[in-house]
Amino acid sequence: MRTFTAIIADDHAIVRSGLRAALETPGLIEPGGLSVVAEAANGIESIAAVRVHRPHLLLLDVQMPLAGGTEVVLETRRWSPDTRIVVLTGISAIGKISELLDTGVDGLFSKATENAELYRALPLILRGGRHVSEYMLDLLEAAPDRVSLTDRERQTLNLIVAGRSNKEMAELLGISPKTVDRHRTNLMQKLQVHSVAQLIAFALQEGLIDPSAEL
């Protein structure tokens, strides 16, 4: 009988404990249970654990200290491309949900709902399937049409939110200050905002930055 390995990445010990108990319980998800080979309490630990263990499954919370969820997903794809990545999150911001789907996660579930749907879907996901929970799908369906940002516009937004000047952004992005100014103007026109404060409010609303993080 095949035994799947798993890493649980969440900054709350009580959540990790509950998920470990569920994953390891014979018959709940897999006949013999899964083998939890590591737990991680922040993004850096998550990436390090994936590099060491290369598990079949990474069960990931995307709101953790030290490294963002998108970064953990991308680094996991880099170091362990066969690992199935399942996000279990309390995030409801449409922008962040869409961003996670764009990274190609294999499962996306909300902490706002019961875990029964997660447990039913994991066997399929472990064998190559993909599942987005009904709760997340309902959020996406109910959301108004979103403005699509280019990668450069998203980089510019993040740097503006971080308080970088046009000169600093130009150096970081390898472009001229005039080009940075054009990206800034296009970004504000596209989002229909008129100040940095409104840009920050948009980024918070869309889940693009963590309001508790130090910029």
Side-chain angles (χ1 to χ4, degrees), residues 54-131:
R54 289 174 165 73
H56 295 102
L57 172 68
L58 171 63
L59 197 53
L60 175 67
D61 177 14
V62 294
Q63 288 183 304
M64 292 189 296
L66 301 185
T70 300
E71 183 180 353
V72 175
V73 171
L74 295 176
E75 287 297 302
T76 297
R77 292 290 185 228
R78 175 186 176 193
W79 294 105
S80 185
D82 293 332
T83 294
R84 310 297 290 171
I85 303 173
V86 173
V87 170
L88 182 61
T89 180
I91 289 174
S92 59
I94 299 302
K96 191 63 179 180
I97 293 171
S98 299
E99 180 182 301
L100 288 166
L101 291 174
D102 288 343
T103 66
V105 296
D106 304 297
L108 183 58
F109 300 83
S110 174
K111 288 182 177 179
T113 62
E114 297 292 333
N115 285 339
E117 185 179 7
L118 168 67
Y119 300 154
R120 288 195 303 268
L122 279 177
L124 172 68
I125 293 171
L126 285 166
R127 291 164 177 83
R130 195 177 189 219
H131 188 92

